[in-house]
Structure formats: structure tokens, C-alpha cells
Amino acid sequence: LEIKMARVHEEVDLTVSVVGCGRMGCAIAGEFVRRGCRVALYDHTEYTRNRALQTVRAFLYDHVASGYLLKIDVEELIGRIVLVHSLAEALEHAEVVVESVFEDVQVKKELFHQMGEICEQRAIPPDQVLLCSNTMTLSLNSITEDVCKQYRGSCLGMRFLHPVWFIDEVELTDCDYTRRNASASAEKRLKQLYFQPFFYDGCHRRRLTLQEISTYQSRQRLRCPEPIEPLVRRGGARKDDSKRLGLSPEKGRGAQPNNKEEASSIAVGPPTAADSEPCAVCLEEPRAALLVPCGHVAMCVECAEKVLRSARPVCVVCRQPIEKILRAVPP
């Protein structure tokens, strides 16, 4: 299996819809597109839906900086994702639907009821769609009990193990209504994408250890043939970095790489529309800091680092906590 695995897989003829554009939903969408699927992303909240691609892009550039992906992969993977603006649109061509909404039984119950009604209205054959829940703590029977009888058998649990990215194992869970051929179809499709599906035993929920996560990440890093240079801070390379970056010692502070290839290895992301806008904090420097996980680009690197070190490190746009900072434009 490992021999067949690739850093990024070629596109396959499988469309997946992910309902819920939070961090988990975006990670699931990202891993599906990395394995070759086309993905439709939907969230009932317009704000969350509109920032979904920024969140996925932030994930991808974070993986580039960590050496798990190459920069050339980012836009290719983003191009496999489409944002849709209604649940009906999300189900239009999807063969697999994965819900990743807030862990509330009533919210999920209503969502599955709506999906069943849409499938019924469109007369979608029950054996041509899988309605899956990523829940870990809630009862699948409770979530799916209001789904119309025709599509209740297409419902099952499909849980992606944290941190989702580069993880092969996926937990499948049958509910009382799940048809046997639905479980078999889910298992077959996951294996085609080089996942390693396994069925929940009813008592032990699989959790990856830090060592297991590290092993998966190390395998992914070995699939990247090119070395990934670390981010250079504002003001140029450090003195001890001059050799590694191909800079002559005589050029001193603020020296530039010798060629375009070296310059491209320093930047974490492509130029964006934010280039022409000043930092929202100092109002002087250009916006160049991509915040993880929210994906907003509203500050210069220096101001973003000050916010990150402050007592309340939150994004100035959405107030979501900042975990790390990536450079969004070339230095």
C-alpha cells in the first residue's frame, strides 16, 4: 500500500460533499482532495462558508512550511474544491456526503432529515449515495432516526482520526438502519483512495498516539522530493543563514537570493489582493501575515508577531485565536 501512495494523487472520478466548513470540515475536505477527489464544501453560515477556502489554503501553506507538501501542490488542490451555497447544491452530484457540523444531536438530526428529503425529491437511488456523520460522541441512531425510510439505510458513521491530514485510518460505524451494501460501498471507496477503513467495535474509540501521528507525517515528508526552506523573517536572512540561502556574506542585511528559484523557496504563499492594503494595526506596512487557522491576511508580519506574543493572541478580523503565522507574500 505504501508504494502506491503519492504526495498528491491524480484526480479520480469521485465527488465528495463536506457539510460544515469549520476546521475539521476543511481538514476532511483537504485530505479528500489530496487523495484525488473533487469536493463540494457547504456551510449554512455565510461567513464560515466564505472563509473556507482561506482556511484550507492556510492549512496547505502550513504543510508546505513543514515539508509535507510542495508549493506547486497548493493551487492544484484548491482548484479541486468548489464552494456551494445550498444543501441541495451540495448533494447534487455527490456520491459521498460527510457532515462535520457542531456536535449537537438536534443540529445533526435536522441536517440528516433535510438530506433525506432532498434525496427523495430528486429520486436519487439509495445505493448511489452515502450519508455519513463524522461524529465521535453522539448516537448514530439518534441522528438518523428522522431520515425517510428509503435513505435511512444509506446512513453510517465515517470518522476521520485527528489530525486528519495524511492519516490513512478512518473509522466506520453502522447504525441500526445501515444496509450491508452501504457499509461495503463505503469501505470499498475509502480503500480506492488508499485509506485504511476499520469498523468501530462498539466499545473502544480509536485515538492516534503522538508517535503514530509523527509516523504518518514522516512518511508524507518522505514523499516530497525537494527540500523546504524555512521562512525568513522581515529584514533579510540571519547571518548564519547566508550560506544555506545562497547569499554572499558581503551583501549583508537585507540581501536577496541569487535567483528566482531561491526566492520562491523563501515565500510561503503567492501574492494576494491584500498586497496593496496597509496593515490593519500599524497602517503602514503591507499585509503579509497569513494567520492560522482562520486564514485572514490583515496585518504585517511584525504586528502579527506582536499580537501572537500578546496576552490575547486573536485575529483582528474574526477574533479567532491565532496558533501560528505564515508569510502570505514574498518578502
Side-chain angles (χ1 to χ4, degrees):
L1 182 64
E2 186 61 29
I3 296 175
K4 296 180 181 179
M5 290 297 292
R7 183 185 75 249
V8 172
H9 289 268
E10 295 182 0
E11 279 198 55
V12 297
D13 188 22
L14 178 63
T15 300
V16 176
S17 282
V18 178
V19 180
C21 296
R23 202 168 176 204
M24 176 59 79
C26 288
I28 293 171
E31 186 60 10
F32 267 123
V33 297
R34 189 186 73 82
R35 292 175 186 258
C37 298
R38 298 181 301 276
V39 172
L41 261 177
Y42 170 72
D43 195 287
H44 77 286
T45 305
E46 184 178 2
Y47 171 74
T48 306
R49 186 169 64 243
N50 288 342
R51 71 171 188 170
L53 288 183
Q54 288 182 319
T55 302
V56 177
R57 188 176 274 109
F59 271 132
L60 292 173
Y61 279 124
D62 192 16
H63 297 325
V64 170
S66 298
Y68 304 138
L69 294 171
L70 303 181
K71 287 169 60 177
I72 58 173
D73 300 329
V74 175
E75 294 308 315
E76 177 186 353
L77 295 181
I78 289 293
R80 297 178 183 180
I81 300 175
V82 60
L83 289 180
V84 295
H85 302 282
S86 69
L87 186 59
E89 192 178 353
L91 270 63
E92 189 168 354
H93 301 294
E95 300 161 66
V96 179
V97 183
V98 181
E99 77 67 20
S100 183
V101 300
F102 184 69
E103 284 286 277
D104 181 285
V105 67
Q106 289 302 322
V107 172
K108 292 179 184 284
K109 192 173 180 178
E110 176 61 25
L111 173 62
F112 270 82
H113 175 66
Q114 291 177 14
M115 290 195 295
E117 286 188 332
I118 292 170
C119 289
E120 188 175 32
Q121 290 168 5
R122 293 184 172 174
I124 298 173
D127 60 349
Q128 291 185 14
V129 64
L130 294 172
L131 304 178
C132 310
S133 174
N134 187 54
T135 187
M136 178 179 179
T137 60
L138 302 178
S139 164
L140 278 174
N141 291 333
S142 299
I143 293 173
T144 60
E145 64 183 5
D146 285 348
V147 178
C148 56
K149 187 175 181 181
Q150 185 181 3
Y151 294 95
R152 203 176 294 167
S154 301
C155 300
L156 72 159
M158 184 180 286
R159 184 172 73 88
F160 294 81
L161 276 58
H162 178 80
V164 182
W165 290 96
F166 318 119
I167 305 301
D168 295 338
E169 296 168 74
V170 177
E171 181 186 81
L172 296 176
T173 305
D174 289 344
C175 63
D176 290 346
Y177 318 107
T178 307
R179 295 190 310 274
R180 183 175 299 178
N181 64 347
S183 298
S185 176
E187 186 177 20
K188 179 181 178 181
R189 287 175 177 174
L190 288 173
K191 286 182 177 179
Q192 288 173 341
L193 299 173
Y194 303 105
F195 283 111
Q196 295 175 9
F198 64 95
F199 283 88
Y200 173 48
D201 61 10
C203 58
H204 174 68
R205 286 291 190 183
R206 176 87 164 96
R207 288 183 175 86
L208 296 178
T209 65
L210 292 177
Q211 182 59 48
E212 288 172 322
I213 294 172
S214 178
T215 298
Y216 276 119
Q217 292 173 339
S218 297
R219 290 175 184 172
Q220 177 65 17
R221 189 179 285 113
L222 291 174
R223 298 175 189 129
C224 290
E226 301 174 15
I228 306 297
E229 296 288 354
L231 180 67
V232 176
R233 292 179 178 274
R234 180 188 295 276
R238 298 188 301 271
K239 191 179 291 184
D240 58 352
D241 286 341
S242 57
K243 278 187 179 180
R244 178 173 53 76
L245 295 177
L247 304 177
S248 60
E250 295 79 11
K251 291 181 182 178
R253 184 174 179 85
Q256 298 297 318
N258 291 330
N259 55 53
K260 291 183 179 179
E261 290 184 359
E262 291 171 356
S264 67
S265 70
I266 295 174
V268 177
T272 66
D275 292 356
S276 59
E277 299 181 45
C279 168
V281 177
C282 68
L283 301 178
E284 295 178 357
E285 297 295 322
R287 301 183 179 192
L290 179 66
L291 307 183
V292 177
C294 71
H296 285 122
V297 181
M299 295 182 282
C300 64
V301 173
E302 289 183 3
C303 289
E305 289 177 343
K306 289 178 182 177
V307 172
L308 183 63
R309 293 192 296 267
S310 68
R312 191 162 179 260
V314 297
C315 172
V316 296
V317 178
C318 66
R319 318 309 294 174
Q320 185 171 342
I322 302 171
E323 293 184 7
K324 61 175 67 177
I325 299 167
L326 302 177
R327 188 180 295 275
V329 295

